[in-house]
């Protein structure tokens, strides 16, 4: 049982490049979310999903796309990277009823 | 958007002292969660609260779900050096989506050895 796995751990992108941050969980959790963490800002919700095929926007969704084709995976796509997207990204998952989200170890993204 | 106000932002304490921090909101919440984050790691769940007035302990940590549903408190008793880190409150807004968990900005705890 690996919990929540995020890949890659580190990434450097050039402005305008696209990429996908991967997130997978093996706990059969219905809920999955993506957060970004910037100094002094806490964690801000980007997108979340309450089940396969269902996604919704969080507080800061612009510049990011998500899809949830399976229960296990919830990739986050950056369509055209910008320096403002330099951040640490966390994926999290939870089961319904007792929503104590489990977090991955994060992806540190730098856009130059 | 929805905000959680967490205080204090940071604190230095002497080893062995008790610590208190809190989180408030202008809206009603139906779930409060408390997390700790160590450098370079993801947040780890410490305590989950699901009912107004609920008081829950996890070792030296105790958290309470406020009666008004608009606040929560975390207490750490007899602090030790490994308590250093950033503590976050998080909540689910009453009537909102169960996926929309929002976080406070954190309380950074430093312990003087």
């Amino acid at each position: 049982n690996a919990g929540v796995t995020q890949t890659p751990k580190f990434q450097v992108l050039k402005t305008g490049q696209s990429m996908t941050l991967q997130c997978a969980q093996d706990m059969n959790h219905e809920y999955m979310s993506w957060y970004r963490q910037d100094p002094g800002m806490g964690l801000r919700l980007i997108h979340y999903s309450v089940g396969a095929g269902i996604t919704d926007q969080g507080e800061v969704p612009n510049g990011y796309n998500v899809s949830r084709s399976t229960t296990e995976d919830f990739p986050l796509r950056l369509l055209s990277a910008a320096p403002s997207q330099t951040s640490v990204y966390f994926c999290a998952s939870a089961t319904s009823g007792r929503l104590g989200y489990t977090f991955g170890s994060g992806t540190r993204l730098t856009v130059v | 958007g929805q905000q959680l106000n967490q205080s204090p932002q940071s604190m230095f304490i002497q080893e062995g002292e008790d610590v208190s921090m809190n989180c408030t909101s202008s809206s009603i919440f139906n779930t409060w969660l408390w997390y700790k984050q160590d450098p370079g790691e993801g947040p780890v769940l410490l305590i989950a609260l699901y009912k107004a007035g609920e008081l829950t302990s996890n070792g030296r940590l105790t958290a309470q779900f406020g009666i008004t549903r608009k606040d929560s408190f975390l207490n750490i008793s007899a602090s030790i050096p490994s308590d250093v880190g950033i503590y976050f409150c998080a909540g689910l807004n009453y009537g909102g989506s169960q996926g929309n968990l929002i976080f406070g900005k954190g309380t950074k705890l430093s312990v003087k050895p």
Side-chain angles (χ1 to χ4, degrees):
Chain A
N1 189 337
V4 178
T5 302
Q6 290 185 238
T7 56
K9 291 192 181 301
F10 301 94
Q11 183 70 50
V12 179
L13 289 178
K14 293 182 179 179
T15 298
Q17 285 185 319
S18 63
M19 81 158 294
T20 299
L21 278 63
Q22 302 291 345
C23 176
Q25 52 90 10
D26 60 359
M27 298 172 283
N28 202 32
H29 283 174
E30 300 95 322
Y31 298 91
M32 296 187 75
S33 302
W34 275 103
Y35 291 85
R36 60 177 289 173
Q37 186 174 32
D38 303 296
M41 298 295 292
L43 291 100
R44 293 184 292 170
L45 183 62
I46 304 171
H47 286 284
Y48 63 95
S49 169
V50 298
I54 306 170
T55 64
D56 206 346
Q57 296 181 351
E59 179 186 356
V60 288
N62 292 341
Y64 308 94
N65 276 1
V66 292
S67 60
R68 184 101 179 266
S69 56
T70 67
T71 299
E72 294 79 17
D73 300 298
F74 191 42
L76 179 71
R77 298 181 187 84
L78 281 70
L79 305 176
S80 178
S84 61
Q85 294 178 304
T86 294
S87 188
V88 181
Y89 291 84
F90 288 100
C91 179
S93 72
T95 187
S96 63
R98 290 283 163 171
L99 289 167
Y101 277 79
T102 299
F103 279 77
S105 57
T107 294
R108 187 174 295 274
L109 177 68
T110 302
V111 183
V112 298
Chain B
Q2 181 67 52
Q3 286 191 343
L4 293 181
N5 300 308
Q6 190 171 348
S7 65
Q9 285 187 320
S10 63
M11 53 195 313
F12 289 85
I13 59 168
Q14 198 77 29
E15 183 175 351
E17 287 182 345
D18 296 343
V19 173
S20 291
M21 60 191 78
N22 69 81
C23 208
T24 61
S25 171
S26 58
S27 301
I28 292 174
F29 280 67
N30 60 16
T31 298
W32 286 98
L33 306 173
W34 284 93
Y35 286 85
K36 182 188 179 216
Q37 186 178 29
D38 292 323
E41 302 291 331
V44 174
L45 182 66
L46 298 174
I47 293 179
L49 302 161
Y50 301 104
K51 202 163 56 172
E54 183 178 356
L55 184 72
T56 299
S57 294
N58 178 5
R60 293 177 296 105
L61 278 61
T62 301
Q64 184 163 23
F65 193 138
I67 290 293
T68 66
R69 295 188 170 185
K70 294 182 178 182
D71 56 12
S72 180
F73 305 86
L74 176 69
N75 296 315
I76 305 173
S77 62
S79 58
I80 59 178
S82 62
D83 289 335
V84 163
I86 303 178
Y87 292 79
F88 292 100
C89 62
L92 283 169
N93 198 1
Y94 180 78
S97 170
Q98 294 296 290
N100 196 356
L101 181 69
I102 61 171
F103 278 75
K105 294 185 178 181
T107 294
K108 186 175 182 179
L109 186 63
S110 303
V111 178
K112 299 174 190 176

